[in-house]
Amino acid sequence: MDNKIVFITGITGQDGSYLAELLLEKNYKVYGLIRRSSNINTQRIEHIFNNKNLILRYGDLTDGTCLINILSEIKNNHKDMEKLEIYNLAAQSHVKISFEIPEYTANADAFGTLKFLEAIRSCGLEKIARFYQASTSELYGLASHSGANILSETTPFYPRSPYGVAKLYSYWIVKNYRESYDMFACNGILFNHGGVRRGHNFIERKITLGLGKIVRGETDRLTVGNIDSKRDIGNSKDFVEGMWRMLQQDKPDDFVLATGVMHSIRELIEMAFKLKGFDICWKGEGLDEIGYDKNTGRELIFINEKYFRPAEVDWLLGDATKAKEILGWEPNTSIEELLGEMVEQDCK
Ligand code: NAP
Ligand code: GDD
């Protein structure tokens, strides 16, 4: 019986690459969706590219036909499969950029999920497929609206960006297909998570890459946006383990994955820079605020309006009690360890 078959969208992304690695180690046959790009976009999976259990197919979430074709191919190749795990990780995942490309973001991050669920039904796989949807803490958005001070599966949502709104559609359509067609479909409501494979324009990676350039003398500054927002940031490697656990349960459900520890961007900058001997202090206010090294007086951190969002998510702090109790999942990496690993790599 063929039960270790998986189809991953977003396999060239941060989470997709770690998940593919994890499942190849567990002896899965891994099908992955990759996008055509004008240049190589498979750097994160280069080390597993030639694994005989990895099969890559071109496609795009906005193209429902390609999803049907790939699912049909998988069905055909594994006629006796009893279970097909599907992880829908593909998305236009940048919150700020979603304000600039809202329509595309909705096509990929909202309707893409609908197309995928319909493709599963069209291929007659709705009783075999186990579907994981990459939901997000961005659903909570204006978190203080709920009156909560920590966010769980029962906290009401209030998204604050075209990205968050598109992901909210996906959250509900997954729930709806679960209830309407008895599909095994789960939402993983994941709080921020990064690491050494994090995209370069997400804040924690931007900080460690910027620090690396300063240390090597390639630039004299790091320029950022709102340093007073707060995030709960974990390790992508830990989080993909949680995704996998969700699809191994007896029944489908939605789970928060988070570390339960939150820091402001200001604190993240201070923590990362400290690892290279800088003692960052602040002077000035608003857009004129500057972070300088107390030891040398060197001005290193500058603020620029262009990195602010039209609507901000001020804080996100997650309560992963349900995942801990039901999935036995634990975040194993502290923010200090995560930044340490990133600083080490990015300052080489
Ligand atoms: P990421 O590094 O940005 O990777 C996104 C992946 O999606 C890439 O493989 C990208 O392909 C692919 N993709 C983008 N648009 C696509 C489209 N239209 N059709 C097919 N593929 C497309 O994101 P990540 O950090 O790994 O996150 C994985 C998922 O979790 C995303 O859905 C994200 O929204 C969600 N999420 C992330 C976090 C986090 O903090 N990391 C937290 C909560 C939820 P290319 O490589 O070709 O660009
Ligand atoms: N990207 C970025 N760049 N963010 C900045 C900057 C900057 O120069 N300066 C300040 N920030 C602030 C943003 O305003 C935001 O409050 C915070 O840093 C985090 O921004 P991002 O790292 O871009 O992540 P995000 O929280 O908006 O979204 C990430 O996490 C979500 C889960 O909560 C992404 O990974 C999403 O895909 C994910 O769903």
Side-chain angles (χ1 to χ4, degrees):
M1 207 59 70
D2 241 351
N3 269 333
K4 286 195 163 185
I5 320 293
V6 60
F7 179 26
I8 303 174
T9 70
I11 196 166
T12 54
Q14 171 189 250
D15 291 0
S17 64
Y18 282 124
L19 182 67
E21 243 174 47
L22 178 77
L23 297 184
L24 285 170
E25 275 163 26
K26 291 183 188 291
N27 293 319
Y28 276 71
K29 180 78 109 187
V30 177
Y31 289 83
L33 183 86
I34 59 169
R35 295 198 289 178
R36 188 269 158 183
S37 63
S38 67
N39 218 329
I40 293 295
N41 62 352
T42 48
Q43 291 93 338
R44 291 189 181 101
I45 51 171
E46 221 164 61
H47 57 297
I48 50 173
F49 203 78
N50 292 321
N51 189 305
K52 65 177 179 10
N53 285 323
L54 180 68
I55 297 152
L56 299 173
R57 292 288 176 262
Y58 280 107
D60 195 293
L61 271 194
T62 59
D63 178 345
T65 309
C66 79
L67 297 173
I68 293 178
N69 289 341
I70 299 168
L71 287 171
S72 303
E73 181 192 345
I74 297 173
K75 190 176 175 184
N76 224 15
N77 288 351
H78 307 279
K79 293 203 169 62
D80 58 351
M81 82 182 156
E82 282 187 327
K83 184 174 85 165
L84 169 63
E85 290 180 30
I86 300 175
Y87 296 85
N88 185 28
L89 307 185
Q92 189 302 91
S93 71
H94 202 282
V95 173
K96 165 113 187 352
I97 295 172
S98 78
F99 286 96
E100 287 161 51
I101 47 169
E103 196 175 318
Y104 171 74
T105 303
N107 279 332
D109 298 10
F111 298 133
T113 310
L114 174 66
K115 285 177 186 176
F116 210 157
L117 291 166
E118 275 301 311
I120 292 169
R121 294 183 65 227
S122 302
C123 294
L125 287 166
E126 68 270 32
K127 293 285 174 267
I128 288 177
R130 291 187 170 211
F131 189 83
Y132 172 89
Q133 168 61 18
S135 279
T136 160
S137 49
E138 274 291 306
L139 300 185
Y140 300 111
L142 192 64
S144 48
H145 157 83
S146 66
N149 52 19
I150 186 158
L151 309 164
S152 75
E153 294 80 1
T154 55
T155 313
F157 300 131
Y158 192 140
R160 294 270 280 172
S161 63
Y163 168 81
V165 174
K167 286 281 189 176
L168 185 65
Y169 175 87
S170 284
Y171 170 89
W172 281 111
I173 203 71
V174 163
K175 228 174 158 76
N176 180 254
Y177 273 49
R178 179 163 83 211
E179 292 168 3
S180 307
Y181 305 116
D182 198 24
M183 286 174 72
F184 194 113
C186 304
N187 283 296
I189 308 169
L190 272 50
F191 283 63
N192 298 48
H193 47 278
V196 292
R197 291 189 198 162
R198 184 65 150 150
H200 292 192
N201 55 359
F202 296 100
I203 192 63
E204 69 278 18
R205 191 74 198 280
K206 185 170 167 179
I207 294 169
T208 59
L209 284 167
L211 173 60
K213 284 188 183 160
I214 289 171
V215 167
R216 290 190 299 272
E218 292 162 16
T219 183
D220 62 353
R221 65 186 59 199
L222 168 67
T223 307
V224 293
N226 176 14
I227 53 174
D228 291 317
S229 58
K230 296 177 177 162
R231 292 292 184 273
D232 172 338
I233 306 183
N235 185 346
S236 171
K237 265 188 178 174
D238 296 343
F239 280 49
V240 300
E241 166 77 29
M243 296 175 189
W244 176 76
R245 288 185 183 220
M246 286 181 214
L247 295 198
Q248 313 311 310
Q249 301 303 301
D250 292 335
K251 62 181 183 61
D253 206 345
D254 305 326
F255 293 92
V256 161
L257 299 185
T259 70
V261 177
M262 180 170 74
H263 287 283
S264 66
I265 307 309
R266 184 189 296 276
E267 288 165 345
L268 295 178
I269 293 171
E270 291 166 8
M271 286 158 78
F273 275 66
K274 199 168 194 91
L275 293 171
K276 286 290 157 190
F278 297 105
D279 187 1
I280 298 294
C281 293
W282 303 90
K283 61 184 180 187
E285 269 179 31
L287 295 177
D288 295 325
E289 191 165 5
I290 291 172
Y292 64 97
D293 178 23
K294 201 174 162 192
N295 303 320
T296 59
R298 244 178 108 186
E299 296 182 347
L300 293 167
I301 318 294
F302 291 81
I303 311 292
N304 191 314
E305 213 170 359
K306 75 176 175 185
Y307 296 114
F308 283 70
R309 286 122 200 241
E312 179 60 279
V313 171
D314 293 329
W315 65 271
L316 292 171
L317 174 66
D319 174 2
T321 305
K322 182 175 169 186
K324 288 179 187 172
E325 287 179 2
I326 298 178
L327 307 178
W329 178 81
E330 285 288 340
N332 291 319
T333 318
S334 69
I335 185 68
E336 289 81 5
E337 289 166 331
L338 189 71
L339 283 177
E341 201 184 320
M342 293 169 72
V343 166
E344 193 185 323
Q345 171 173 298
D346 291 339
C347 291
K348 265 183 198 154

